Amino acid sequence: MATAPAAGTTGLTYEDLRAFPDDRLRRELIGGELIVTPAPSTRHQDAVTCLTIELGLYARAHGGKVFPAPTDVFLSERDVVEPDVLFVTKPHVARVELPFVRGAPDVVVEVSSPSTRRLELVRKRELYERFGVLEYWYVDLDADRIELYRLSDTGRYGAPTFVMRGERPTSSVLGEFEVDIDQILGPAEVAPVEE
């Protein structure tokens, strides 16, 4: 679950972030505020693995780099996040440095977790928009869909495109990239039958 800011967890920088122990918690900074989330569910990780493999195959054929979390994206000293999956296109691979990706990846994917929904759909989406991430994919496991946000010429995300089961989301950034949404979402969850 995402935590509320505690005393001493605002006004932080990347150097402060690096000083925390490696304890399997995801720590990110948005506007200098520390955001901490626990390890995700296996369904979440299945979606991340599927997208990482598919984007990896695309990168092998077309160039570019794909990274799953935990990979830091250094947007500014006070804005450092770990998207679930990120893609940097071939023309921008110089953004990939040894400790992190410096600047906006071309495509960012966040996979929903119940405790991080508001963080991903509001705060992170606004952050990605502000720093010029061309495409933001929000994989909503609860709604069984993907919301695709594309950066317009005005530097803003337009209304999302909803991609439902049985459809194949396409990327305006990655040209020929297509993936089966049912693979990403996994089997539909069925509510238990009450007796």
Side-chain angles (χ1 to χ4, degrees):
M1 101 173 76
T3 63
T9 61
T10 58
L12 301 178
T13 67
Y14 180 67
E15 288 306 312
D16 297 317
L17 194 62
R18 290 184 49 186
F20 283 99
D22 183 8
D23 55 8
R24 292 199 43 171
L25 293 176
R26 179 184 290 188
R27 289 183 175 84
E28 301 173 289
L29 295 177
I30 297 180
E33 177 186 332
L34 180 64
I35 309 292
V36 181
T37 53
S41 71
T42 54
R43 183 175 182 215
H44 176 284
Q45 291 303 85
D46 279 343
V48 168
T49 300
C50 175
L51 277 163
T52 302
I53 290 168
E54 295 296 325
L55 286 166
L57 293 170
Y58 178 88
R60 182 179 293 169
H62 301 279
K65 295 277 190 179
V66 61
F67 296 100
T71 301
D72 284 341
V73 173
F74 183 97
L75 298 170
S76 75
E77 277 294 328
R78 298 187 184 281
D79 296 292
V80 183
V81 291
E82 288 183 9
D84 288 318
V85 184
L86 67 92
F87 193 93
V88 178
T89 59
K90 187 176 179 180
H92 300 136
V93 292
R95 294 177 185 170
V96 178
E97 299 180 15
L98 192 58
F100 47 61
V101 173
R102 183 183 299 272
D106 296 288
V107 177
V108 165
V109 179
E110 295 286 2
V111 179
S112 69
S113 292
S115 62
T116 60
R117 183 176 201 79
R118 176 167 162 57
L119 171 69
E120 291 159 346
L121 278 174
V122 178
R123 297 190 69 195
K124 281 185 152 183
R125 183 177 51 83
E126 290 170 355
L127 184 74
Y128 296 146
E129 180 182 70
R130 183 163 42 102
F131 281 94
V133 173
L134 298 176
E135 225 169 60
Y136 173 42
W137 292 36
Y138 180 70
V139 178
D140 192 334
L141 297 176
D142 295 323
D144 259 3
R145 68 182 184 204
I146 295 177
E147 296 179 23
L148 271 118
Y149 296 87
R150 293 183 173 105
L151 204 64
S152 71
D153 293 338
T154 64
R156 308 280 301 172
Y157 288 138
T161 300
F162 295 102
V163 185
M164 311 307 278
R165 281 194 179 274
E167 298 178 346
R168 298 180 68 83
T170 58
S171 170
S172 60
V173 175
L174 302 179
E176 300 168 21
F177 180 73
E178 278 192 26
V179 64
D180 180 357
I181 190 172
D182 294 322
Q183 270 188 290
I184 298 168
L185 296 174
E189 289 195 4
V190 178
V193 177
E194 291 186 30
E195 296 182 22

